[in-house]
Amino acid sequence: MKLSLLLWLTSVLPQPVADQACLATTVYLEARSQSSIGQQAVAEVALRRRERGPQGTSVCDVVSAPHQFAVSTTPHNFDIDNMDAYAKAWQVASYAIANWKLPIDERTVLVPHADHFATVSTSPRWMHSRAITTIGAHRFYAVD
């Protein structure tokens, strides 16, 4: 399936389903080769940003904000061709959204305060911010 088709679908689906599709697509693009914990941490960052609000009120707004997540930087003709990995990302997104609906003190939090992440092989300009932890190939940061 082409990324462009998936993104178009999120524009016509009801909001809860669109948000899960956007989050699953983000997890797939950013962390499909990572462990479930690493994928959940990526989802947590996106949900934390949505909760804080400056990039939008929906998951789709947040993950499609320019240059923030792979959804906005991956060519739209990219093939999402590993359906097993996408199914796993869908399950991770479902769990993450359900977890994030819980009261703050009842949530399972993997990367407290993290609002950014980057692969350990890169050096983003904001990396001087407080690194929280490294999970797999990603380092998580509290920038804002």
Side-chain angles (χ1 to χ4, degrees):
M1 173 184 337
K2 295 286 186 196
L3 178 59
S4 59
L5 175 60
L6 190 53
L7 295 176
W8 176 80
L9 284 171
T10 64
S11 72
V12 297
L13 290 169
Q15 194 61 54
V17 178
D19 276 350
Q20 185 168 347
C22 286
L23 189 57
T25 302
T26 299
V27 169
Y28 177 88
L29 294 173
E30 298 279 7
R32 68 183 168 274
S33 65
Q34 300 300 301
S35 68
S36 294
I37 299 291
Q39 290 184 2
Q40 289 170 15
V42 165
E44 184 178 314
V45 167
L47 292 170
R48 184 170 288 112
R49 286 202 198 176
R50 185 205 55 197
E51 186 173 76
R52 292 181 179 171
Q55 292 174 327
T57 57
S58 74
V59 173
C60 292
D61 289 342
V62 169
V63 301
S64 63
H67 308 289
Q68 298 301 306
F69 291 91
V71 168
S72 72
T73 61
T74 302
H76 284 197
N77 65 348
F78 179 83
D79 278 319
I80 295 176
D81 57 2
N82 184 335
M83 289 299 112
D84 290 339
Y86 194 83
K88 180 180 177 185
W90 186 267
Q91 290 174 337
V92 166
S94 176
Y95 169 80
I97 289 169
N99 181 53
W100 218 252
K101 287 180 182 176
L102 296 172
I104 292 173
D105 60 338
E106 294 179 26
R107 292 178 189 163
T108 300
V109 178
L110 299 171
V111 286
H113 311 291
D115 51 21
H116 285 70
F117 62 87
T119 59
V120 294
S121 63
T122 61
S123 299
R125 61 180 160 72
W126 43 260
M127 77 176 290
H128 67 278
S129 300
R130 187 171 53 109
I132 294 173
T133 193
T134 300
I135 301 173
H138 289 105
R139 187 165 291 125
F140 294 84
Y141 300 87
V143 176
D144 295 329

